[in-house]
Amino acid sequence: MSLSMRRVLGSRALRPPLVRTLVSMPKLIPEAVPTGSTQIFRTVEEVKRWRRPQYTCHRVIGLVPTMGALHEGHLSLISAAVKECDHVVVSMYVNPAQFGPHEDLDSYPANWDSDLEILAALEKKLAKKISAVFAPTTKEMYPFGFPGQEVDSKGSFVIITPLSERLEGKSRPTFFRGVATVCMKLLNIVQPDKVFFGQKDIQQSLVIQRMVDDLMVPTKVIVCPTVREPDGLARSSRNVYLGTRRRKVAKVLHDALASAKQQYLNGRADRSSILGSANGLLESTQATQVSLPAEERVRFEVDYVSFADRFTMDEVEEVDPSRGAIVSAAIKMLPVELATPGEDVGYNGGPAVRLIDNMILEPSG
């Protein structure tokens, strides 16, 4: 089964007064998603207490890790988990350890009530329950104190090298350390049989797979296809930052990768042809935007365009017909230079937005 299809790599009813009541009670009574049967767990002990009986019943448990701000991409993962598992746990936790000191942690989009309503609607649509939401605090996830976001922070970390040092890891040196650490915590807490990730974050999925393999974690990593907007832009919680003007230009990321993949489908498997096509489209789009007046143009920076082995993320010169490859890229959409009166510049004033995407070049042999 191909990786692009799916590869096993190996609300309003919940208001602060209710939360305060739950926190003050010595024995927590689980909340429930409005109109649904999903339980909400705030503590590790609650999850473990719920999990114990599942062992004796031989139930298959699935975990979908999220940071909230749910969108169609998350829902596709939850739907896949519901189909394959007896019980599904959705974690919603904005993990500070995977943000750099100057990244968008404080402004990361979050809407607890909306997320709960989305889950309730999905549960109704699927006609099958989502068993639990795990929504811990940072104090719960880091009981001895959050170690910090700096590269030289001291604490208990899971570090997967050299895979986590490439591409995204090179640009965001603490990102995969934070991801691997929180995912190991979640795997230890929930102890799922399967954990579900999206292909958009392919390097993240590979890091987690390597961690699971190297540390012998008895969980199967499932990677599901990227969910896209009609114009091809990958669904992401950060897309709300873009606003109307930048949103129209952001599709260049998808278009560049699609152009590279088309070179491969046309029979070109060499690095020059594949990356040349992607870089050419990115550069021409930048040139077009620079020529526009400030009140119309969109500025963006290209972080990287990569042509790599699909298992190791090592850069390659040509596609290995037995392994295939990954073409991936990251761009930073810079803030609107000169907004027009009443212009939608994006959520939280439209800060810089980092976008990533990838496409799989399937094996041909």
Side-chain angles (χ1 to χ4, degrees), residues 77-346:
L77 298 179
I78 298 168
S79 298
V82 165
K83 290 178 182 178
E84 295 195 18
C85 305
D86 297 308
H87 293 287
V88 173
V89 178
V90 178
S91 66
M92 292 199 295
Y93 172 60
V94 181
N95 174 37
Q98 65 195 69
F99 291 77
H102 306 295
E103 293 182 348
D104 59 343
L105 173 61
D106 291 338
S107 64
Y108 189 83
N111 190 329
W112 174 250
D113 287 354
S114 175
D115 284 346
L116 294 185
E117 290 171 351
I118 287 170
L119 286 179
L122 179 63
E123 187 179 46
K124 184 177 181 180
K125 177 181 177 181
L126 296 174
K128 188 173 180 181
K129 68 180 294 187
I130 300 162
S131 299
V133 168
F134 179 42
T137 62
T138 293
K139 183 177 181 180
E140 187 72 16
M141 292 299 286
Y142 296 89
F144 295 100
F146 175 60
Q149 297 163 312
E150 302 290 346
V151 173
D152 59 354
S153 295
K154 306 301 180 184
S156 299
F157 298 115
V158 178
I159 301 174
I160 309 298
T161 58
L163 185 55
S164 66
E165 299 170 321
R166 300 173 180 140
L167 303 178
E168 286 299 294
K170 185 175 182 179
S171 298
R172 306 174 69 192
T174 63
F175 175 66
F176 288 121
R177 181 183 75 181
V179 167
T181 300
V182 79
C183 283
M184 178 59 81
K185 288 173 179 279
L186 290 170
L187 293 178
N188 285 334
I189 295 165
V190 179
Q191 299 186 36
D193 299 282
K194 301 178 181 182
V195 62
F196 294 78
F197 292 95
Q199 183 189 313
K200 181 182 77 70
D201 302 297
I202 190 63
Q203 189 177 3
Q204 170 178 282
S205 300
L206 289 167
V207 166
I208 299 305
Q209 181 63 61
R210 183 69 57 81
M211 178 187 78
V212 164
D213 290 343
D214 284 352
L215 301 182
M216 302 179 185
V217 180
T219 299
K220 185 176 292 185
V221 179
I222 309 290
V223 177
C224 298
T226 301
V227 175
R228 300 184 179 279
E229 303 284 358
D231 63 359
L233 182 70
R235 291 284 178 94
S236 170
S237 299
R238 288 185 169 90
N239 288 352
V240 298
Y241 288 131
L242 290 170
T244 304
R245 190 196 313 186
R246 293 192 297 170
R247 173 64 184 78
K248 292 177 181 178
V249 177
K251 67 185 290 290
V252 68
L253 178 58
H254 165 267
D255 293 346
L257 295 175
S259 175
K261 184 172 183 176
Q262 190 59 51
Q263 289 290 316
Y264 177 64
L265 296 176
N266 291 343
R268 304 299 297 270
D270 62 288
R271 184 178 186 85
S272 177
S273 297
I274 290 173
L275 288 192
S277 180
N279 283 319
L281 184 53
L282 289 167
E283 291 168 3
S284 65
T285 302
Q286 281 182 314
T288 298
Q289 291 299 316
V290 168
S291 69
L292 297 175
E295 64 271 18
E296 296 180 19
R297 65 174 165 240
V298 172
R299 302 171 300 152
F300 66 91
E301 299 173 348
V302 179
D303 187 348
Y304 63 80
V305 183
S306 167
F307 174 48
D309 182 274
R310 70 174 189 168
F311 302 110
T312 67
M313 301 301 287
D314 291 329
E315 295 295 315
V316 296
E317 293 302 318
E318 62 181 4
V319 180
D320 182 333
S322 68
R323 294 172 66 86
I326 300 172
V327 58
S328 61
I331 63 174
K332 180 185 286 188
M333 307 295 294
L334 301 178
V336 167
E337 187 175 2
L338 180 61
T340 58
E343 180 179 1
D344 169 24
V345 297

